[in-house]
Amino acid sequence: MENVPGLLKSFYFKNFQEDIGKKYNICFDVLNAAEYGIPQLRRRAVIIGFHKDFKTVPTLPKRTHGGKGEVFDYLTGEYVELVNDETRKKLHLKRNSSLPRKGLVTLSDAFGDLPEHLNPGQEVKEYESAPKTTFQKLMRKRSGNILQNHRAWEHSYEMTKRMAEINPGDSPTHHGLRNRNKRYFSQAYSRLHHDGLSRTVTTNFTNPGG
């Protein structure tokens, strides 16, 4: 099962452990999707259990990414080294000596082969270039080399112009009446950076602010 990270520190989870521990062997931790090759900083509590009759001790999957290289950090607006413990703490990456050998998958690693310059509402189903990264090759293999769901959103001219004025990695704190709420803008209204990762995708992703 998986849930929000705060679950593992809750009173409910403590009771859950005591109850289910009578019949199941379990292991649990907060995992970050970025450390498993996903271009997104998404943290979730993951709990794995086997019935004791199986006589099997459950283990969490080993991390595969995040042990080298650098990425763009939205909070500082700078590139940060992944080998730095302070950096890893800010990105909620695990801190220990046995780091994976691969770097994190950035947005350019994931989306750098997608066709650009679409007109509003236009949908493209074919790639225009060869895959350049391991992630891109994997996605094409899984989809049969067919580009899916690549459609330009029909934003108004005013909205498109406003977004174009924002540099990659920045947020429009100077736009609109909500600029007083900088914390909100920094989390929601940021333009993604090609050398960074996405934050958690919300259910309101059809809105530019999501």
Side-chain angles (χ1 to χ4, degrees):
M1 62 177 288
E2 60 86 27
N3 212 295
V4 296
L7 171 72
L8 300 186
K9 297 181 180 179
S10 70
F11 169 80
Y12 302 102
F13 183 68
K14 182 179 179 181
N15 286 345
F16 170 80
Q17 277 184 275
E18 294 176 354
D19 187 37
I20 204 169
K22 300 170 185 176
K23 293 184 178 181
Y24 289 83
N25 293 318
I26 67 170
C27 66
F28 54 87
D29 201 355
V30 176
L31 306 184
N32 192 330
E35 294 186 282
Y36 296 89
I38 303 300
Q40 181 183 143
L41 291 170
R42 178 175 175 83
R43 300 171 65 244
R44 300 293 285 179
V46 175
I47 305 163
I48 300 176
F50 287 109
H51 197 282
K52 289 184 176 180
D53 287 351
F54 287 111
K55 303 185 186 310
T56 301
V57 178
T59 58
L60 293 164
K62 292 183 178 180
R63 292 170 292 140
T64 57
H65 292 70
K68 66 176 184 179
E70 61 180 15
V71 294
F72 180 84
D73 177 34
Y74 292 96
L75 294 178
T76 62
E78 300 175 347
Y79 283 83
V80 293
E81 293 283 345
L82 293 175
V83 294
N84 185 295
D85 280 345
E86 200 59 37
T87 294
R88 301 187 68 80
K89 182 179 180 181
K90 290 179 180 178
L91 298 177
H92 299 288
L93 304 176
K94 294 292 184 184
R95 302 170 64 186
N96 60 42
S97 57
S98 57
L99 298 175
R101 298 176 62 181
K102 298 178 182 179
L104 298 179
V105 177
T106 65
L107 291 171
S108 61
D109 292 333
F111 306 139
D113 61 337
L114 296 180
E116 300 181 43
H117 312 300
L118 276 66
N119 296 319
Q122 181 183 358
E123 184 173 5
V124 177
K125 295 186 178 181
E126 295 183 358
Y127 291 95
E128 297 176 350
S129 62
K132 304 178 182 65
T133 66
T134 301
F135 186 93
Q136 293 170 13
K137 293 176 182 177
L138 178 63
M139 294 301 104
R140 294 199 192 194
K141 182 178 180 180
R142 290 181 174 178
S143 68
N145 209 37
I146 298 174
L147 181 56
Q148 300 178 9
N149 303 316
H150 190 58
R151 177 178 179 271
W153 195 257
E154 299 183 61
H155 293 304
S156 66
Y157 171 79
E158 179 182 336
M159 177 62 74
T160 303
K161 183 174 182 295
R162 182 179 298 178
M163 290 191 290
E165 293 173 351
I166 305 166
N167 293 322
D170 285 346
S171 58
T173 55
H174 59 286
H175 284 294
L177 298 176
R178 284 190 283 185
N179 60 358
R180 65 184 182 278
N181 192 341
K182 292 186 177 181
R183 181 181 178 188
Y184 177 80
F185 268 123
S186 69
Q187 293 298 315
Y189 285 83
S190 291
R191 180 175 176 180
L192 297 175
H193 193 282
H194 59 279
D195 287 332
L197 287 83
S198 169
R199 293 188 176 89
T200 298
V201 178
T202 69
T203 55
N204 193 31
F205 65 89
T206 54
N207 184 309

